[in-house]
Amino acid sequence: MIVGTAGHIDHGKTTLVKALTGVDCDRLQEEKARGITLDLGYAYHADGQLGFVDVPGHERLVHNMLAGATGIDYVLLVIAADDGPMPQTREHLAIADLLGLAHGAVALTKVDCVDAARLAAVQREIAALLASTTLAGAPVFPVSARTGAGIAELSAALHTAAQTARPRSTQGGFRLAIDRAFHLAGAGLIVTGTAFAGTVRVGDNVCVSPPGWRARVRSLHAQDRASETGHVGQRIALNLVGDFGKDDMARGMWALAPELHAPVQRLHARIRLLPGEAPLAHWTLAHLHLGTEDVVARIALLEGDALAPGGDMLAELLLDRPIGALHGDRFILRDASAQRSLGGGRVLDIFPPARHKRAPEHLAYLRALEADDPRAALTLALARHPAGLALHRFALNRHLDDAQAQALWDACALVRVGEGEHATGFSATQWRALGERVLQATAAEHTRAPDMVGVERDRLRRLTLAALARPAFDRLVGELLADGRLVAHGSWLHLPAHRAELSASDADLWRTLQPLLDASRFNPPRVRDIATATHIGEGRVRELLQRVARVGAVYPVAHDHYFSATAVGELATTVTDLAMRAGPVRAADLRDAIGGGRKVAIHILEFFDRVGYTRRVRDAHCLRQAAGERSWTT
């Protein structure tokens, strides 16, 4: 269990930790010279059950205190009996309350310096002070580090709390908030911190985030002891090997599982303003403390223009630089001059939208994210993403490992398309609705263009839902084809009952032109010859024959050279007969069989090659397997 001290300067936090562990947490020369704690100190009980993070109590060092307060399991609020609660006592307690730290005790120090009446009075003050916080009702232990009074009782209570505390889940990827980095002779770079989540092992690859440096864990210590593994809730020292040095490291970085590397500069959260503060205005500048990081942020309120003291509100935080954060992370907000704590909050969404942030649908989604069970939030997220929800981002934000994510997808009966980072999800209702939209878009196109065989695949995807990714659309179409609700005709898609039909005006004109093609079936006139013979514009003739080709009455055998479907069928029979009698067909063979010139015969054979009826082998053309099964008539 990680115990974090809290309290006013000179109330005996460091002395108390030394009495409990035998370790002096003041490691800096300046700390020893001045007799005050300036930075975080660390100590461990000899049995390894307890680790202590000792924090400075000076008002100007709250930023250092905050770097040690996040990630602890148990608060040890230290109050001197002679002084009683002081300004930093109250601020540290408010911070613990904002961080949701509900397990703790009060160490009432220097009891050897006061009489019984003063001791009783300060205990009443403490009870009143704790009453409205997460530490309400916490036990108070009168102690004296000088005489040793009460130290054994406090130590026993801390050990009992460690033994009875509910173990933290080790599910999820590893996250360690780095609070110190140093070089150790013979080992190399060491980083230390408290593990927020997951498990790490010797030999694992980790990522130093936000920079994104990859590293390997050469060795590690957990709770100040050499170990092969470290896990959530422990103080861990990692010996890292990578392309960086001690000077590259900074407090505020994370050592984490590579898949969790997702630095953000915007996040949505619920924030709470302390009761004694002035109303917080929209776009207020503040310091955000999350993990061991301290970064300047703008607070954009999402539910109003001001936040009342003691109230809470959904907000967007826009950060000066990228940081590591995930859903559920607690943070503290301090004023722009870093002189006092304003409030705090809890991260809800690290992938907020760029637009419509105050829309009721988005605010409802953020409220759903506040629940421990992610199913309600997932349901709302799916509804807000008709083209598919990026499942990887949802799982990453909620810090779900593969097993947890899979269980959630199954529980919500999701339709999933793709794998890994490219996976998108749809509710069963959404998926059915998308299928109906495909069919409706197809029907609308048949009405708009009855002469078309169908709709080209990409056009149909855009008509269905422009944002729908191609893999999802292809799967939808595949299911509709398998069910017989959609039919593929080459690259075209159409409804089963649809047959391409000419408009009345096109049908009339086609009846005028068709006899010209039928009169010379195997060498019909080209577009320009038809136009000359009929005195109809060449462009109009060409466009008509293109539409007639779409309904299957003619085929474009060569450029601007259309053959009737009946003629193409007869030519296919002729080619088959020639191939059966003499093997591969040459242009001269076909020319002799149908009459006309060799050039036309070449065009006809090349057409059969293009449509897959034959295939060219040097100067001859062989029938493809099952070529005889093809129908050339409508």
Side-chain angles (χ1 to χ4, degrees), residues 173-175 204-209 212-215 255-263 392 396 421:
F174 177 69
R175 298 177 76 209
D204 280 357
N205 292 317
V206 297
C207 178
V208 178
S209 185
W213 301 320
R214 295 304 172 100
L256 43 73
E259 62 270 17
L260 298 183
H261 173 60
H392 171 73
L396 176 56
E421 295 184 10

Side-chain angles (χ1 to χ4, degrees), residues 5-23:
T5 63
H8 197 76
I9 186 173
D10 201 33
H11 277 203
K13 297 184 294 298
T14 304
T15 303
L16 178 62
V17 172
K18 185 175 182 180
L20 289 166
T21 65
V23 177

Side-chain angles (χ1 to χ4, degrees), residues 228-443:
E228 288 295 310
T229 63
H231 57 77
V232 57
Q234 292 182 320
R235 289 283 309 168
I236 300 175
L238 301 175
N239 179 197
L240 298 181
V241 180
D243 190 17
F244 46 79
K246 172 186 172 297
D247 293 340
D248 297 317
M249 292 290 175
R251 177 177 289 175
M253 293 180 180
W254 296 82
L256 43 73
E259 62 270 17
L260 298 183
H261 173 60
V264 296
Q265 256 182 288
R266 291 189 310 121
L267 54 86
H268 284 184
R270 182 171 291 281
I271 63 172
R272 178 157 65 95
L273 186 63
L274 290 173
E277 290 296 317
L280 183 75
H282 176 72
W283 211 242
T284 294
L285 192 67
H287 281 263
L288 179 140
H289 295 263
L290 189 154
T292 55
E293 180 62 280
D294 172 5
V295 61
V296 175
R298 285 281 181 189
I299 304 172
L301 301 175
L302 298 179
E303 296 179 286
D305 296 323
L307 174 58
D312 60 76
M313 186 179 288
L314 295 171
E316 180 176 46
L317 301 173
L318 298 94
L319 315 177
D320 269 7
R321 63 176 183 276
I323 68 167
L326 288 178
H327 172 275
D329 285 349
R330 298 273 186 170
F331 57 83
I332 299 296
L333 295 169
R334 306 197 82 220
D335 72 308
S337 60
Q339 296 299 306
R340 70 185 193 281
S341 296
L342 301 175
R346 181 169 175 252
V347 175
L348 298 176
D349 189 5
I350 65 169
F351 299 117
R355 301 172 58 195
H356 308 301
K357 292 172 283 192
R358 292 189 174 195
E361 297 82 3
H362 180 62
L363 298 181
Y365 172 62
L366 291 178
R367 295 183 189 107
L369 281 173
E370 296 185 85
D372 291 335
D373 189 336
R375 284 179 291 184
L378 178 59
T379 300
L380 289 177
L382 290 167
R384 294 173 59 234
H385 293 84
L389 175 68
L391 296 179
H392 171 73
R393 286 161 68 96
F394 185 90
L396 176 56
N397 180 59
R398 293 293 303 223
H399 195 192
L400 304 176
D401 60 28
D402 290 344
Q404 290 172 312
Q406 184 66 50
L408 178 60
W409 313 150
D410 291 345
C412 293
L414 293 194
V415 175
R416 282 165 284 161
V417 179
E419 297 293 336
E421 295 184 10
H422 304 291
T424 54
F426 304 82
S427 69
T429 301
Q430 278 179 310
W431 191 250
R432 287 192 297 271
L434 279 172
E436 292 303 319
R437 288 180 68 162
V438 171
L439 298 176
Q440 290 166 8
T442 306

Side-chain angles (χ1 to χ4, degrees), residues 7-58:
H8 197 76
I9 186 173
D10 201 33
H11 277 203
K13 297 184 294 298
T14 304
T15 303
L16 178 62
V17 172
K18 185 175 182 180
L20 289 166
T21 65
V23 177
D24 184 359
C25 291
D26 284 346
R27 53 190 170 80
L28 303 177
Q29 289 185 355
E30 187 180 357
E31 289 177 320
K32 296 184 181 298
R34 296 174 61 183
I36 62 171
T37 298
L38 302 175
D39 203 354
L40 300 176
Y42 310 99
Y44 301 89
H45 196 278
D47 60 14
Q49 285 190 0
L50 300 175
F52 290 84
V53 180
D54 185 36
V55 304
H58 197 284

